[in-house]
Amino acid sequence: MTIQVAKLSDPAVRAFVTAVNAHDRDAFRAVLAPDATMSDDGADRDLADWTDREIFSSRGHMEVDNESNGGRSLIARYNNDTWGEMKTRWSFTVDDGGRITRFETGQA
């Protein structure tokens, strides 16, 4: 059963998913710390390049099925125009100011 984005527990993660689903680059950048990093399937990636290719240029969308770790770990059905739909895992590190400093994703 899908969890409504507005009901996600962690405010930063909620803002991240909202920005992804709205294809809102400015809101997405606002939720990330300036030096944020990320990995995909265990390999560190260039954040700007990866998010442009995998989220914004390909119309990425997340449907969250499960959250844990206080809302900082998600299992989601992720869909984009490049890869179609896949079951994915997401984990987030959030700083004391409420900004995401790192996210890790990959197939679940």
Side-chain angles (χ1 to χ4, degrees), residues 1-3 8 10 14 26 31 33 36 40-41 44 54 58 62 65 71-72 85-87 91 94 96 99:
M1 184 162 106
T2 301
I3 300 171
L8 293 173
D10 187 274
R14 185 171 51 245
D26 292 335
V31 75
D40 182 8
D41 283 328
D44 280 359
E54 300 292 338
S58 61
M62 299 173 72
D65 292 327
R72 293 188 178 172
E85 184 175 299
M86 65 188 87
K87 187 175 181 179
S91 64
V94 180
D96 291 338
R99 295 178 83 187

Side-chain angles (χ1 to χ4, degrees), residues 27-95:
F28 184 83
R29 282 192 283 269
V31 75
L32 298 177
D35 58 349
T37 61
M38 61 89 52
S39 72
D40 182 8
D41 283 328
D44 280 359
R45 306 288 185 187
D46 178 272
L47 181 87
D49 177 62
W50 188 92
T51 56
D52 181 60
R53 187 179 64 256
E54 300 292 338
I55 296 174
F56 297 108
S57 294
S58 61
R59 298 175 18 91
H61 188 83
M62 299 173 72
E63 293 288 335
V64 178
D65 292 327
N66 185 296
E67 67 173 358
S68 58
N69 190 31
R72 293 188 178 172
S73 295
L74 307 176
I75 298 295
R77 285 172 283 123
Y78 187 76
N79 185 7
N80 70 21
D81 291 344
T82 303
W83 305 107
E85 184 175 299
M86 65 188 87
K87 187 175 181 179
T88 57
R89 58 170 172 69
W90 299 76
S91 64
F92 299 88
T93 304
V94 180
D95 66 17

Side-chain angles (χ1 to χ4, degrees), residues 96-108:
D96 291 338
R99 295 178 83 187
I100 294 170
T101 58
R102 181 169 177 82
F103 70 92
E104 298 177 1
T105 188
Q107 292 191 46

